[in-house]
Amino acid sequence: MQITLENMSKAQLIDHANKLQKTADVLQEKLARKDELIAQLQRMLHGQKSERFELPKNQLPLPFEPDPAHKAQQAEVHEQKISYVRTKTARPNHKGRLKLPDHLPVEEVEIYPEGDLSEMVCIGKEVTEELDLKPAYLFIRRYIRYKYADKSAEANPIHIGELPERVIEKGIPGAGLLASILIDKYADHLPLYRQVQRLRRQGVDIARSTIEGWTRQGLEKLTILYDHLVAETKSQGYLQVDETRIKVLESNKKGAAHQGWYWVYYAPINGSVLFEYQPTRKRAGPEKMLDGFRGYLQTDGFTAYKRLGATPGITPLGCWAHARRKFDKALTNDAARAGYVLTQLQQLYAVERMAQTNQLTPAERKKLRLEQSLPVINELGKWIPQEYKKVQPRSAIGRALAYCINQWDQLCEYLMDGHLEIDNNPVENVIRPVALGRKNYLFAGSHEAAQRAAMIYSLLAICKKHQVDPYKWLRHTLQNISTTRYNEVTSLYPQNFKATCSS
């Protein structure tokens, strides 16, 4: 039976008031969270997409109640306007049209004045260049092998010229056509059905299922190269790891696609990249791949990496870019605190740009970081725990501060070695082409197809890192991989192909 307020005792009234206050606090927190989400959505729709941060021009000093010893210093920092706009080098005076590349073939068209020129003397010429294009064309390569019989032999043995190694045994496509199909799909993200339409415009009618079969067989030829890449990835001493989703048609639910994952491993020192497909996002995938790995492992705060970081011989590294994004999202929740942290992080990234611009050695970069970045990090290390006590843990600023507290040792580890990067952005840049591909061909046809795509994604990413023409490399590889010795197959890596071409 419910007691009315008039019949409650003083103790009951106090207890009822406390319960109402707790309910009000919970509702207030939920309302604040919804307001925060609305502000984030509005910013996603109408705000800037860049992660660059600039303080408001008329922002007042931040009310953080610093210790008296640091009050003057912090006031100076807070009043300082920090602009996160990269300075552009001054362009020299424009001297006309840029010179066209020297390696392109030149087709010369000589034009003489009209009329009788017999009584005239040529006193010079003017040269005008234009860049033109001939669309790719198909041609038939017909191998004609002549047969000879030995007249002197009793059994008349027949001799015939040896057929060159075929990319697909008894198949129609040559290395150039197959390389073009694979590059168009996995580098330029052109789905196979559009390639079929393009071939039909050229009068070549090939079934889509046929081209799908060529694609599968072409990717399977790269398996041996990919297996070597897996072994070499485990031997690296510094890896960055991230993951991205991929839809796969195979699913237990009718009419639904399975949510698969690409785990990406990038070695910043030598520029090698490895994509591996896993049906789930569970930690078993990277644990199996990194079995036996020893060295630095740089990741974000995803829980699957926590156990990996605790493995003996592995030193976990954090990602300041992920921390910065959390404070960027918290601007709508607590602009003062989030803005302060972002200004401090700008100083850390200014040091990294300085090291990159001056092309410092790893030893010099470590020294620069200890001189300029370490004081900033030490100040943040004192400030963040103090401010975390003053905010709601479940708010955006609370989650951002908690992320830094939980990841603090990993975030600071990059200071210890000049070879290490401040964030995980290099491996994220490797993943971006996959996101673009998802918008075009939407899904992989099976788990096996997703893994085959992982192989070509790995090798094309290495091409990009080492500035290798992917078409020329892939055509060369498809032509030679079947005849290359097992212990020499690494000579077909994109970076080694570039060295071979330049020598």
Side-chain angles (χ1 to χ4, degrees):
M1 181 176 179
Q2 188 175 3
I3 304 176
T4 60
L5 294 178
E6 292 82 0
N7 298 326
M8 286 185 181
S9 64
K10 182 177 180 181
Q12 289 175 327
L13 287 172
I14 294 175
D15 182 63
H16 183 67
N18 291 335
K19 289 180 179 180
L20 290 176
Q21 184 61 48
K22 289 180 181 179
T23 303
D25 292 341
V26 171
L27 294 175
Q28 186 67 30
E29 184 177 345
K30 288 183 178 180
L31 181 60
R33 176 59 178 159
K34 290 181 179 179
D35 289 342
E36 175 190 325
L37 290 174
I38 292 173
Q40 289 182 7
L41 290 172
Q42 288 177 335
R43 186 180 179 191
M44 290 172 63
L45 288 172
H46 308 296
Q48 66 176 16
K49 302 300 185 293
S50 172
E51 292 181 6
R52 297 183 180 182
F53 169 70
E54 295 182 15
L55 280 174
K57 296 182 179 180
N58 300 322
Q59 179 171 313
L60 297 175
L62 305 178
F64 290 138
E65 302 176 357
D67 296 334
H70 301 287
K71 188 172 182 178
Q73 180 182 359
Q74 287 192 354
E76 181 180 353
V77 172
H78 296 161
E79 292 174 0
Q80 180 182 8
K81 177 183 178 182
I82 299 179
S83 178
Y84 187 46
V85 179
R86 291 183 174 91
T87 57
K88 296 183 179 179
T89 56
R91 290 184 60 188
N93 294 331
H94 197 277
K95 298 181 180 179
R97 187 175 298 172
L98 294 176
K99 185 179 179 181
L100 295 175
D102 294 330
H103 68 276
L104 296 178
V106 177
E107 179 183 300
E108 293 187 349
V109 180
E110 295 182 343
I111 304 175
Y112 291 92
E114 296 181 357
D116 185 8
L117 306 178
S118 59
E119 299 298 325
M120 299 184 184
V121 178
C122 181
I123 59 173
K125 58 184 178 180
E126 291 187 7
V127 178
T128 302
E129 294 183 339
E130 66 179 13
L131 188 64
D132 206 347
L133 171 69
K134 290 182 179 179
Y137 65 94
L138 296 167
F139 65 94
I140 298 173
R141 180 181 291 110
R142 179 177 293 132
Y143 294 103
I144 304 174
R145 299 187 291 160
Y146 293 94
K147 299 179 180 180
Y148 287 83
D150 191 347
K151 296 180 180 179
S152 61
E154 295 181 358
N156 290 331
I158 297 176
H159 300 269
I160 187 172
E162 185 178 355
L163 190 66
E165 183 69 30
R166 306 292 301 281
V167 178
I168 296 178
E169 188 66 26
K170 298 182 180 180
I172 293 177
L177 175 59
L178 188 54
S180 176
I181 291 172
L182 295 176
I183 295 301
D184 283 348
K185 178 173 182 180
Y186 294 104
D188 299 328
H189 316 294
L190 187 66
L192 292 180
Y193 79 90
R194 294 183 189 172
Q195 297 189 49
V196 170
Q197 293 172 352
R198 185 172 60 185
L199 289 172
R200 287 175 180 168
R201 290 199 299 268
Q202 295 180 302
V204 180
D205 192 359
I206 300 177
R208 179 177 171 182
S209 59
T210 301
I211 292 187
E212 289 174 350
W214 293 351
T215 301
R216 175 181 54 79
Q217 294 177 75
L219 294 177
E220 287 174 350
K221 295 183 75 71
L222 302 176
T223 301
I224 186 174
L225 200 59
Y226 179 80
D227 292 341
H228 277 74
L229 186 60
V230 170
E232 290 194 4
T233 299
K234 294 182 178 182
S235 67
Q236 299 296 323
Y238 172 31
L239 288 177
Q240 295 182 340
V241 186
D242 206 351
E243 72 284 342
T244 187
R245 60 177 58 89
I246 177 71
K247 293 287 187 182
V248 181
L249 281 187
E250 290 189 6
S251 175
N252 295 328
K253 297 180 180 180
K254 186 177 180 180
H258 177 79
Q259 180 65 74
W261 293 86
Y262 282 133
W263 295 82
V264 188
Y265 306 85
Y266 170 61
I269 295 178
N270 70 353
S272 67
V273 181
L274 178 73
F275 281 73
E276 186 197 29
Y277 171 75
Q278 289 290 335
T280 70
R281 203 184 183 191
K282 296 180 180 179
R283 65 170 182 261
E287 282 182 351
K288 181 179 179 181
M289 172 59 67
L290 297 176
D291 183 28
F293 170 76
R294 296 294 180 267
Y296 291 102
L297 187 67
Q298 191 163 29
T299 65
D300 55 26
F302 182 45
T303 54
Y305 301 120
K306 187 174 181 180
R307 184 171 174 177
L308 279 171
T311 304
I314 294 181
T315 302
L317 298 178
C319 175
W320 276 109
H322 280 80
R324 182 176 62 184
R325 288 168 197 158
K326 293 184 181 298
F327 285 103
D328 185 70
K329 291 181 179 179
L331 283 170
T332 55
N333 171 240
D334 192 331
R337 289 184 173 88
Y340 171 73
V341 176
L342 289 173
T343 59
Q344 299 300 101
L345 296 185
Q346 286 175 1
Q347 297 182 46
L348 298 183
Y349 277 89
V351 174
E352 299 305 305
R353 290 195 299 275
M354 186 186 305
Q356 184 178 13
T357 302
N358 296 328
Q359 298 181 348
L360 301 185
T361 64
E364 293 170 338
R365 183 156 75 155
K366 176 182 177 181
K367 181 180 178 182
L368 179 65
R369 286 170 172 174
L370 293 177
E371 290 175 352
Q372 300 191 24
S373 299
L374 181 58
V376 177
I377 289 179
N378 285 340
E379 186 64 29
L380 282 175
K382 299 175 184 177
W383 183 87
I384 289 176
Q386 294 175 356
E387 295 306 313
Y388 183 66
K389 300 175 183 178
K390 306 175 185 178
V391 301
Q392 293 182 357
R394 297 182 63 182
S395 64
I397 189 64
R399 293 193 301 272
L401 294 171
Y403 178 88
C404 290
I405 293 173
N406 295 331
Q407 291 275 312
W408 190 252
D409 290 341
Q410 294 91 313
L411 290 171
C412 298
E413 190 66 39
Y414 85 102
L415 297 171
M416 299 297 103
D417 193 326
H419 291 93
L420 307 178
E421 300 295 333
I422 189 173
D423 56 35
N424 229 19
N425 279 349
V427 72
E428 291 186 356
N429 293 336
V430 170
I431 290 176
R432 286 178 182 174
V434 180
L436 182 60
R438 284 198 302 258
K439 296 180 180 179
N440 287 273
Y441 51 77
L442 303 180
F443 48 76
S446 65
H447 296 299
E448 293 77 14
Q451 178 55 34
R452 288 194 294 268
M455 293 192 296
I456 190 67
Y457 276 138
S458 303
L459 296 164
L460 292 180
I462 297 176
C463 285
K464 186 175 181 180
K465 285 292 180 182
H466 293 273
Q467 299 179 343
V468 175
D469 185 328
Y471 172 77
K472 292 181 179 178
W473 164 80
L474 186 55
R475 182 183 61 185
H476 171 80
T477 300
L478 292 173
Q479 287 174 333
N480 295 280
I481 195 167
S482 296
T483 56
T484 302
R485 295 180 179 178
Y486 181 81
N487 58 354
E488 296 177 354
V489 73
T490 55
S491 63
L492 298 177
Y493 281 169
Q495 60 269 42
N496 296 334
F497 170 76
K498 181 179 181 180
T500 302
C501 293
S502 60
S503 61

